Amino acid sequence: MLILGIESSCDETAASVVEDGVSVRSSYVASQHDLHAEYGGVVPEIASRAHVEAILPAVRSALRDAGVVAGDLDAVAVGHRPGLIGSLLVGVAAAKALAWSLGVPLVGVDHVHAHLYAGLLNDAARPGPPAPATAFPALGLVVSGGHTSLYELSSWTGLRRLGATIDDAMGEAYDKAAVILGLGHPGGPNLDALARTPGANERAVEFPVSRLGGDSLDFSFSGLKTAMLYAVRGVPQGPRARAASPAPAPLTEGRRADLAASFQRAASAAVVLKLGRAVEVMAARGERPRTLVCGGGVTANSRLRRELEGFAGREGLGLALPPLGYCVDNGAMIAGLGYELLRAGRASGLGLQPVPTTAC
Ligand code: KG4
Ligand code: ZN
C-alpha cells in the first residue's frame, strides 16, 4: 500500500511516499531555516506563505523520487495537528484536494504521535531488514522543539500520556541555550556540535537536573536554561543580595564548549531519569514495557542517542530510535502512522480540520 504523507505544521514543507507503513520510497523536506534565521525563530506569517509556494513542488518531488505517479497512491495522510494554524491549513488543503481528486482515503495524523512512529521507518540509507514489529506495551518519548512527553502505548493507536514538560520543551531549551552561547539558528544541532569539540569538559559546570516531585513523570527545562544564562552572564544582583556572586568565567572558546557539553549532560540525564521512573510506575501496576519508541528533533542529539541506547540496553527493551533524517519533521512519519490509522479504520472525511493543539 502506497501512502503519500504531507507535513507542514511549522517551518518544514515535507512530502514522502511510504510503502506498507515502513519502507520509505521518498522523503522530500524543504526547510525554511534561511527565511527565519534573521529573526532567531519561526515567524508564523512568513512560514505559511512559504508553505503555499513549496507544497506542490514538494509533492511532485516526492512522487518523482519514489518513481510513482499520483494515480499509484492508495491514500493521502496529512499532519493536521498540532502546529501553526496558517501552516497546517496549507498541508491540509493540499491533502484534501489530492485525496478528493484521486478518489482515495484521507487520513489526518497527529504530528506528535507520528514522531513516535519514526523509529520504524527504513529506507535505502538504512539497509538491512525492516525494523521488527513493535512489541507492546511500549514506552514512548517525544522530544522536539514544541513537545516533550512520555507515553505508554498498548498499540500504535492506543496511546496514554504519562507526563509532559511543565514549561519549555527540550528542543526549545536547547535553542535558547544556543542563543545564550551566541550560536545561530537552529540552535540544537549547533549546540550539539559545540559540545563535541575535542577536549570539552562535560563536568565543568554542574547544571541542574530537574526531578520535580518524587514520583512526577513531568519534565522541566526552564531551570536548566536559566542556569545557562547565569553561567554565561552572571547571577543578577538584587539590592538585598547577601553576598556578591563571583563574576562569570570569561566566555572563551574552551569555556563555551565546556558549557555546551555540561548542558547536554544535564539535559540527557533529566530524560533518562524520567524514563527510569516510568518503568517503575508501570512495574507498580504489574506491567513491563517491551520496547522504547522515541522521536522528535532532539532524538538527533548525539549525547541523548547514546543515553537512550544505554537505557534500553540496561532495561532489556527493544529500541526504536529514528534514523537521523527522520528525527526532525518529515512526511515519512506522517505516512507511516497514517498506514496504521487506516488499518485501524480511522480514515478522516474531507471535513478534516487543522487544529493548533495535540490530541496526545
Ligand atoms: O521535531 P522537530 O523538527 O520540530 C518540532 O516538532 O518541534 O524538532 C526541532 C527541534 C529544535 O528545537 C532543534 O533545535 C532540535 O529539535 N534539534 C536538536 C538537534 N537536532 C534538532 N536538539 C539537540 N541536538 C540536536 N542534534
Ligand atoms: Zn515535530
Side-chain angles (χ1 to χ4, degrees), residues 317-344:
L317 305 177
L319 176 65
L321 193 57
L324 282 180
Y326 304 128
C327 295
V328 291
D329 293 348
N330 64 85
M333 65 185 195
I334 302 289
L337 182 58
Y339 173 79
E340 293 290 342
L341 291 170
L342 275 178
R343 287 210 307 174

Side-chain angles (χ1 to χ4, degrees), residues 152-163:
E152 184 180 342
L153 291 88
S154 56
S155 70
W156 275 115
T157 50
L159 191 69
R160 196 168 76 83
R161 192 166 75 187
L162 299 173

Side-chain angles (χ1 to χ4, degrees), residues 31-334:
S31 169
Q32 304 176 4
H33 285 168
D34 293 349
L35 291 177
H36 302 285
E38 69 174 289
Y39 304 99
V42 178
V43 182
E45 185 60 24
I46 293 177
S48 44
R49 284 167 191 253
H51 283 304
V52 172
E53 288 174 13
I55 192 83
L56 291 181
V59 170
R60 271 193 217 107
S61 300
L63 293 174
R64 185 200 58 220
D65 295 350
V68 300
V69 294
D72 295 328
L73 297 172
D74 296 298
V76 179
V78 61
H80 77 115
R81 69 188 307 173
L84 302 170
I85 196 70
S87 295
L88 290 168
L89 262 170
V90 178
V92 170
K96 280 185 187 176
L98 267 167
W100 178 77
S101 61
L102 296 171
V104 298
L106 171 73
V107 55
V109 174
D110 189 297
H111 175 102
V112 178
H113 192 173
H115 269 307
L116 286 172
Y117 191 88
L120 264 70
L121 300 170
N122 65 78
D123 59 19
R126 192 197 210 195
T134 308
F136 295 102
L139 200 57
L141 170 75
V142 175
V143 279
S144 72
H147 296 85
T148 301
S149 310
L150 267 178
Y151 301 92
E152 184 180 342
L153 291 88
S154 56
S155 70
W156 275 115
T157 50
L159 191 69
R160 196 168 76 83
R161 192 166 75 187
L162 299 173
T165 182
I166 58 167
D167 41 53
D168 289 352
M170 190 173 179
E172 190 182 352
Y174 258 94
D175 293 337
K176 289 175 177 166
V179 170
I180 295 167
L181 288 174
L183 299 167
H185 174 83
N190 289 335
L191 197 152
D192 189 9
L194 181 60
R196 280 184 276 127
T197 305
N201 176 8
E202 64 174 32
R203 301 208 169 259
V205 179
E206 278 300 321
F207 280 128
V209 175
S210 79
R211 288 173 167 75
L212 301 175
D215 54 0
S216 168
L217 293 178
D218 290 331
F219 298 90
S220 167
F221 287 102
S222 70
L224 175 59
K225 172 193 67 185
T226 306
M228 173 65 95
L229 183 70
Y230 290 175
V232 170
R233 300 201 190 146
V235 181
Q237 295 292 296
R240 276 179 282 161
R242 290 214 190 96
S245 296
L251 201 56
T252 59
E253 281 307 301
R255 172 78 176 164
R256 287 169 80 235
D258 287 351
L259 286 167
S262 302
F263 181 93
Q264 298 232 110
R265 183 169 70 91
S268 308
V271 172
V272 172
L273 179 93
K274 297 298 164 133
L275 287 172
R277 273 190 193 170
V279 171
E280 285 166 17
V281 166
M282 287 178 73
R285 281 194 258 118
E287 288 171 16
R288 177 147 187 83
R290 298 173 63 196
T291 320
L292 173 61
V293 295
C294 310
V298 189
T299 51
N301 185 264
S302 57
R303 175 69 197 242
L304 184 64
R305 288 178 87 82
R306 277 207 313 276
E307 294 281 349
L308 293 173
E309 281 161 3
F311 176 81
R314 287 193 299 281
E315 295 290 337
L317 305 177
L319 176 65
L321 193 57
L324 282 180
Y326 304 128
C327 295
V328 291
D329 293 348
N330 64 85
M333 65 185 195
I334 302 289

